[in-house]
Amino acid sequence: MVSLVVVAVFLLCGTLFQPPQVAAFKPLFQDGSLTHREITQMAILRKTAEVCRDIATAQGRDFTLPINNRLTPSAVQEACSASTTSLSAVSSHGFYSAITQMFLSNAVVDQLFALSEAHHIDNEAFSEGRDLITQGVAAVKASVQQESYISARNTLGALCHTLQDFYSHSNWLELGSTAPFSTLIKPERSLNNLAGPNTPTCKSCTGSNCRDNILPEILLQKKLTSGYFSVFSSAKPAGKCSHGGSLDRTSSREPTGGINKDDIRSDHGFLHHRAAEMAINATVELLQDIRLATGDQAFLRLVGLSQTSVLAFVIDTTGSMHDDIEEAKSVSFSIIDSRRGTPEEPSEYILVPFNDPDFGPLTRTENADIFKERINSLSATGGGDLPEMCLSGLLLALAGASPSSDIFVFTDAAAKDLELRSTVQAMIERTRSTVTFMLTPFSFRRRRGVSQSKSFTSKSMSLSDMQLYRDLAHISGGQTIEVTKATLSQATAVITDASTSALVTVLQVVRSPVIAENISFVLDPSLSNVTVYITGESPVFSIYSPTGVSQSGSVADGPLGSILTVGNLKRVKLNSDNQTGEWKISIDSTRSYSLKVSGQSSVNFLFNFVEQLEGGDFTPKNNRPFIGRNTALFVSVTGGDSVTVTDVLLVEASGLDVVNGTIKSLGATDFLVNIDRIPEWAFVVQLKGLLHDSTRSLPVRFQRQSPTQQQGSRVTITAQPNNTIEPGIPFNINFTLATNATRSSYTIRARTDRSFNVSFPSFLDTGTDGSAQGIVTLTAPSDTESGTDVTLTIEAEDSESGDSNYVALQFTVMTKVTDFSSPVCQIVSIKADCPVECSRASWELSANLTDGNGTGIAGVSLSRGNGSLSLSYVMSADGTNVTVASYNTSCCSQEVELVAVDRVGNVGTCFASIKSPFTAISPNSSTTASSNVSTTASSNGSSTVGPNGSTAVTPNGSYSVSFSMCVALVGLLVFFLCG
């Protein structure tokens, strides 16, 4: 189990200075009003459910979940599961993590861009706000194309904030609008009927009553305006509306009052719920545009729904690793072949080879056969001087794998690149991935320049070499398994265990120094396949069930389970019966050891450190919290729609100390936990509570733990990045160090996961105010593809104490987008001869798709219809490239929608429906159509025609999309055909 993945890059703010809370839909918590969190989550759940419904319909499966604003992540996850008969646990953890990442990146806009009129569409900044939205949409589509889903989620959450604020900050609702303003996400459309800069828009409110403060002529002429806002000055153009609220100084100047609908107490709070509903619908419309541009499966990965488990290997390929490589092949092939096509099939495969001096490349794929091909091509060659580039390979895997992945490192040598230790640790904390080292250190390694027959010499790692791997494993919640090459095949059982869906950590402890101890843990009814792992050189233990039955660690097969002993690992596979209740392990050891209890369950939890802004709202803080200060955790329990959380604890990672949090419920599964102080020692987050199940009269106890260690710091490092950079153009990132000590010296390190060029100061000294500023310059190579993500980690380490902190910033590399025109679809012909018994005949459609002077059509697909689609390519007389789409399907499938996407993600659609027994349409013949036939062509996917619309043929063979024209033509056709 892993808690919330890192809300990447530009989310990592945590400044000591808090900007004033800008007025907007409240980001996280606001009693009685809908928040950005709820608006974003509702929209994602609705659109995801719609995608799953459409997929189920196309596959002939039922989808019975009602799609409304009462959906929950666990309900959508369960309904979207393709195999409802599977006995495997279904986890909504990845789905909820992605949603949380998006609504937290939405919330942080109010901290990073508190006073930006464009980000909140204040001060009539409609053009600037739309530019942010459309540029963000282009970045999301490019990131998805590159499978950079974390960057895509961050960008999507942030642009949704601006989109949603439009409906609260403008007069769109007051103008009588009943549908979203689609022009905000379609830059090819003009922003018309905006109130001019000198046009008065409001009158003063009558006391506290602002219901009618927008001027009648503005409403009559349908002029679009938004409120002016400033926390510093009351100045605004004469006659203009203000935003309103206690922080808005412009609202005290004539005309007084405001028009915002941020919550029910706002000046136009009487429209708050309508504005929130409109914002939900607008977000759904945006998500549909992204879905059409990227495809259903990529969209489901974007929202985290298709994530199950990740199979990730980092493999030493030096001369003595032949046996290890063969074993990695064997275990991975076994997992792939046994789980292909099942709910347990890994959703992603990662492979990174390393030796000395090379590491990489990173292979990241959803295709198991590609992974097989890549790992099968590995061979053991080279090396010889023993230390290898292990940490470089691991860092590449951590950056490339999905957050919360289980990564396995195979090596028999020490790490040469020790300078990366702190960066690897920061990346582990940021991604919350688990790293397990499969070590075969007692081996023979080939010396360079020696013949094959005399090429090996006995060598083992030093204690300090081993300790580095142990420390990193413990920090991540993984293990260090030390075996011989002959017994490695037995130890790889832990890889099979970890490569399962819905894996959770019940308990994990590390003891150093060691004490004789009785350790208790609770197993609940939702758990299955529970396994206990003990790693160490000399642990002696016995395990006790809730009924008092015991089994010694020396008994391989006993009443409680089977025990595998190999190297320093003891793996206890508990029997499946009578697991519920409190268990105990009595353990003693003369050396350090680790204990881990895990299993499969749909019930898990996420947490994120948050900080409170002025006004009571919260934004994420994702670098290390400040030691000795109070903080808060935003905690969500996933997979259980009715839970009671009784304890949230910060538990010392290698000891017995505990800091208890104060819990406030924010709903059925969300909680705010206040922590009085961050301890000096490293800690893990542990959660305990009660599960309420309709099948049981009484709730049952459960516990979960975050495997990844956290730690505080006495220094903070913050930066406010732009989330996109252009290839080949240097980009400066300003960062700030702050500490409660004065005149300290800090070593600065800055690295990227893609070896981009970075320049930075080597040292910074804090002054008497305890702060210092620096600049990192980042340059992406000029040939970097749009959508490529890059993570920049900036670290600061106290030169005397070794105390350190970091900020990890994620950027999307984007070539400037100039093509905002959607592909054009022209339906050339529809031929149908459909009898009453529809299965006996088929119908055809032909359409021409073009992109004018744009970037060109990248793909054509079906969003509706289950027939066959074929494409051909011709050039028109005027030199335009034309994609010819030919569609054929059974008469029983009466609708089709073609989706054309250009190379930067602009979307165009064609829709056609047959409802009559006979329809034959072509531009070169007369048109025969009943009132039950409708076709639409749209360059943006927004046009719709009612079920009684008809078909109009233009001289060039395209069809009109005007609804009123279709209605008129229906009347004419009915008159001529029936009159």
Side-chain angles (χ1 to χ4, degrees):
M1 184 220 53
V2 190
S3 58
L4 174 61
V5 298
V6 189
V7 181
V9 187
F10 65 96
L11 298 184
L12 305 175
C13 34
T15 52
L16 296 179
F17 167 74
Q18 297 295 346
Q21 173 62 45
V22 71
F25 282 124
K26 301 308 177 188
L28 294 179
F29 320 119
Q30 185 70 22
D31 292 339
S33 302
L34 287 173
T35 67
H36 274 296
R37 175 174 66 95
E38 293 164 316
I39 290 167
T40 304
Q41 178 166 305
M42 288 176 187
I44 293 170
L45 292 177
R46 275 173 44 181
K47 179 48 61 180
T48 303
E50 289 175 12
V51 173
C52 292
R53 178 198 61 198
D54 294 346
I55 292 174
T57 300
Q59 294 175 349
R61 295 186 289 108
D62 292 332
F63 187 91
T64 59
L65 181 70
I67 299 177
N68 51 42
N69 287 343
R70 295 183 295 277
L71 295 170
T72 65
S74 56
V76 173
Q77 172 81 57
E78 184 176 354
C80 289
S81 177
S83 178
T84 56
T85 59
S86 171
L87 298 179
S88 301
V90 176
S91 173
S92 58
H93 188 269
F95 186 31
Y96 209 115
S97 294
I99 294 173
T100 303
Q101 182 185 345
M102 285 184 272
F103 70 60
L104 288 178
S105 65
N106 184 318
V108 85
V109 170
D110 275 336
Q111 183 180 51
L112 294 180
F113 307 104
L115 305 180
S116 166
E117 61 183 31
H119 283 84
H120 308 285
I121 311 192
D122 294 328
N123 306 357
E124 299 180 320
F126 297 110
S127 178
E128 297 85 350
R130 185 177 70 167
D131 285 347
L132 287 176
I133 293 169
T134 55
Q135 290 166 8
V137 171
V140 170
K141 293 174 180 177
S143 293
V144 171
Q145 187 175 16
Q146 295 292 329
E147 299 184 4
S148 302
Y149 294 105
I150 300 174
S151 293
R153 291 167 193 153
N154 288 328
T155 305
L156 178 57
L159 74 89
C160 281
H161 187 106
T162 302
L163 178 69
Q164 293 160 4
D165 269 0
F166 169 82
Y167 299 97
S168 176
H169 296 183
S170 75
N171 66 333
W172 182 252
L173 277 176
E174 288 86 343
L175 294 178
S177 305
T178 58
F181 187 38
S182 299
T183 300
L184 288 177
I185 64 172
K186 301 188 182 302
E188 73 274 14
R189 297 184 183 180
S190 299
L191 284 167
N192 295 322
N193 224 33
L194 304 182
N198 299 317
T199 302
T201 54
C202 268
K203 62 183 178 180
S204 290
C205 299
T206 305
S208 60
N209 183 3
C210 292
R211 278 180 174 265
D212 300 316
N213 61 333
I214 299 179
L215 294 177
E217 54 267 33
I218 294 297
L219 301 177
L220 182 64
Q221 297 170 22
K222 301 290 185 182
K223 293 288 187 181
L224 191 61
T225 186
S226 68
Y228 280 73
F229 177 86
S230 176
V231 297
F232 302 116
S233 170
S234 61
K236 64 180 177 182
K240 288 295 186 181
C241 300
S242 289
H243 178 91
S246 60
L247 294 178
D248 178 21
R249 294 188 61 184
T250 74
S251 63
S252 63
R253 172 173 290 191
E254 293 286 339
T256 59
I259 63 171
N260 87 80
K261 297 161 278 290
D262 291 340
D263 59 47
I264 58 176
R265 291 175 295 278
S266 300
D267 288 331
H268 278 209
F270 62 96
L271 292 174
H272 166 76
H273 286 101
R274 284 181 55 195
E277 182 62 31
M278 189 79 79
I280 294 171
N281 293 336
T283 307
V284 169
E285 181 183 54
L286 169 68
L287 294 173
Q288 173 66 6
D289 179 73
I290 294 171
R291 171 203 179 181
L292 292 177
T294 59
D296 287 350
Q297 294 306 316
F299 179 84
L300 293 180
R301 287 203 67 188
L302 171 64
V303 299
L305 191 66
S306 62
Q307 183 71 46
T308 54
S309 61
V310 175
L311 189 61
F313 286 173
V314 180
I315 301 180
D316 182 346
T317 59
T318 45
S320 62
M321 286 292 293
H322 176 270
D323 293 343
D324 306 60
I325 294 172
E326 291 304 310
E327 184 54 39
K329 294 177 183 178
S330 175
V331 68
S332 62
F333 288 5
S334 174
I335 291 171
I336 290 169
D337 294 340
S338 64
R339 296 178 182 176
R340 194 189 294 265
T342 73
E344 294 292 327
E345 181 178 7
S347 56
E348 189 173 56
Y349 302 89
I350 299 288
L351 178 64
V352 179
F354 70 91
N355 48 55
D356 177 29
D358 299 320
F359 62 93
L362 166 73
T363 296
R364 181 177 64 183
T365 179
E366 300 172 43
N367 189 320
D369 292 327
I370 292 177
F371 179 79
K372 274 187 167 184
E373 178 184 329
R374 298 291 170 81
I375 196 172
N376 208 35
S377 68
L378 296 182
S379 60
T381 58
D385 59 353
L386 290 176
E388 312 294 350
M389 304 295 284
C390 180
L391 298 190
S392 297
L394 175 56
L395 189 61
L396 191 59
L398 285 165
S402 301
S404 306
S405 294
D406 282 275
I407 298 173
F408 294 89
V409 181
F410 292 79
T411 187
D412 61 2
K416 185 175 186 178
D417 40 5
L418 298 178
E419 72 279 2
L420 294 180
R421 184 193 189 284
S422 61
T423 305
V424 169
Q425 179 174 343
M427 187 67 78
I428 288 171
E429 292 178 19
R430 194 180 72 81
T431 63
R432 298 185 185 172
S433 287
T434 301
V435 181
T436 293
F437 292 90
M438 310 295 292
L439 303 181
T440 54
F442 307 104
S443 60
F444 295 91
R445 298 188 63 84
R446 183 184 305 161
R447 290 177 176 173
R448 289 191 176 99
V450 180
S451 67
Q452 180 81 14
S453 61
K454 301 178 181 179
S455 59
F456 298 106
T457 180
S458 178
K459 182 68 178 178
S460 63
M461 291 187 217
S462 69
L463 182 60
S464 61
D465 294 335
M466 300 279 278
Q467 194 60 46
L468 169 66
Y469 293 144
R470 292 169 183 167
D471 290 344
L472 291 175
H474 292 160
I475 289 167
S476 74
Q479 302 167 82
T480 306
I481 299 172
E482 303 157 21
V483 294
T484 64
K485 294 186 182 295
T487 57
L488 178 62
S489 60
Q490 301 174 57
T492 53
V494 300
I495 300 176
T496 304
D497 295 343
S499 302
T500 57
S501 62
L503 194 66
V504 303
T505 299
V506 178
L507 177 73
Q508 181 155 341
V509 298
V510 177
R511 290 295 181 257
S512 179
V514 297
I515 57 173
E517 191 175 359
N518 292 322
I519 301 173
S520 298
F521 58 92
V522 173
L523 300 183
D524 62 83
S526 73
L527 284 161
S528 62
N529 298 322
V530 177
T531 307
V532 179
Y533 304 94
I534 300 173
T535 55
E537 295 180 12
S538 60
V540 177
F541 69 95
S542 293
I543 187 167
Y544 301 85
S545 75
T547 59
V549 178
S550 65
Q551 180 176 336
S552 168
S554 61
V555 178
D557 290 293
L560 299 181
S562 59
I563 301 178
L564 167 69
T565 301
V566 54
N568 70 331
L569 169 70
K570 289 184 179 290
R571 169 182 174 265
V572 185
K573 194 75 173 176
L574 296 184
N575 296 332
S576 60
D577 55 333
N578 299 322
Q579 288 189 353
T580 303
E582 183 171 326
W583 289 67
K584 184 177 71 173
I585 293 180
S586 176
I587 189 167
D588 194 7
S589 178
T590 60
R591 305 287 293 273
S592 62
Y593 68 88
S594 68
L595 164 69
K596 181 174 184 176
V597 182
S598 64
Q600 287 181 279
S601 172
S602 59
V603 180
N604 207 339
F605 82 104
L606 317 169
F607 77 91
N608 203 43
F609 286 101
V610 295
E611 55 187 342
Q612 187 170 8
L613 300 178
E614 184 180 342
D617 299 315
F618 295 83
T619 58
K621 177 177 173 58
N622 292 295
N623 50 6
R624 292 170 182 156
F626 210 96
I627 291 175
R629 295 182 182 175
N630 62 359
T631 190
L633 292 175
F634 178 44
V635 175
S636 298
V637 179
T638 65
D641 288 335
S642 181
V643 298
T644 301
V645 174
T646 58
D647 298 280
V648 175
L649 312 169
L650 307 187
V651 180
E652 186 177 8
S654 298
L656 302 176
D657 284 349
V658 173
V659 174
N660 207 333
T662 304
I663 303 167
K664 176 184 177 181
S665 176
L666 301 172
T669 59
D670 293 335
F671 304 87
L672 182 66
V673 182
N674 289 307
I675 305 294
D676 287 339
R677 62 175 179 84
I678 291 295
E680 296 188 5
W681 27 261
F683 59 88
V684 293
V685 179
Q686 189 177 92
L687 181 142
K688 298 179 180 180
L690 300 173
L691 286 176
H692 304 274
D693 190 333
S694 59
T695 63
R696 295 177 176 82
S697 58
L698 296 175
V700 295
R701 290 194 296 159
F702 78 100
Q703 74 176 67
R704 298 290 186 269
Q705 182 175 302
S706 68
T708 311
Q709 291 181 17
Q710 307 292 319
Q711 67 180 64
S713 175
R714 288 186 171 85
V715 60
T716 62
I717 178 170
T718 58
Q720 180 175 318
N722 188 335
N723 63 318
T724 61
I725 59 175
E726 290 189 52
I729 299 178
F731 182 78
N732 290 335
I733 301 103
N734 297 303
F735 67 94
T736 300
L737 298 183
T739 179
N740 54 11
T742 59
R743 300 193 182 281
S744 297
S745 180
Y746 287 87
T747 301
I748 305 300
R749 292 182 290 268
R751 297 182 177 90
T752 73
D753 60 333
R754 293 190 182 274
S755 301
F756 288 179
N757 185 52
V758 178
S759 62
F760 56 93
S762 300
F763 297 93
L764 282 179
D765 295 326
T766 58
T768 55
D769 62 348
S771 68
Q773 287 74 42
I775 298 176
V776 173
T777 301
L778 170 65
T779 307
S782 57
D783 59 351
T784 307
E785 292 187 49
S786 280
T788 300
D789 63 345
V790 57
T791 300
L792 169 68
T793 302
I794 308 172
E795 301 173 72
E797 182 178 350
D798 189 312
S799 301
E800 293 184 2
S801 68
D803 181 29
S804 66
N805 209 336
Y806 67 91
V807 60
L809 310 173
Q810 193 164 29
F811 299 87
T812 301
V813 182
M814 282 292 295
T815 303
K816 189 174 181 61
V817 176
T818 57
D819 175 16
F820 291 104
S821 298
S822 298
V824 175
C825 178
Q826 297 179 334
I827 299 178
V828 177
S829 66
I830 298 177
K831 298 179 181 179
D833 186 5
C834 293
V836 174
E837 192 174 333
C838 61
S839 61
R840 298 173 56 187
S842 62
W843 64 282
E844 301 175 355
L845 174 145
S846 178
N848 290 341
L849 300 108
T850 57
D851 197 37
N853 294 322
T855 51
I857 292 175
V860 180
S861 61
L862 298 173
S863 67
R864 268 187 278 187
N866 55 8
S868 61
L869 175 67
S870 61
L871 303 176
S872 59
Y873 307 94
V874 298
M875 184 172 289
S876 66
D878 62 0
T880 300
N881 290 317
V882 180
T883 300
V884 180
S886 302
Y887 176 74
N888 182 284
T889 189
S890 164
C891 286
C892 299
S893 177
Q894 297 184 329
E895 294 182 342
V896 63
E897 185 172 37
L898 302 179
V899 178
V901 182
D902 69 16
R903 299 188 187 282
V904 293
N906 297 311
V907 177
T909 63
C910 286
F911 172 82
S913 173
I914 60 166
K915 298 293 184 181
S916 63
F918 174 77
T919 304
I921 304 174
S922 72
N924 298 319
S925 62
S926 60
T927 299
T928 304
S930 79
S931 61
N932 290 325
V933 179
S934 68
T935 67
T936 69
S938 171
S939 64
N940 51 40
S942 63
S943 300
T944 58
V945 177
N948 293 322
S950 70
T951 304
V953 182
T954 67
N956 64 358
S958 65
Y959 289 87
S960 167
V961 298
S962 166
F963 180 81
S964 58
M965 184 178 293
C966 288
V967 173
L969 287 172
V970 168
L972 290 173
L973 286 170
V974 169
F975 176 81
F976 284 113
L977 294 175
C978 304

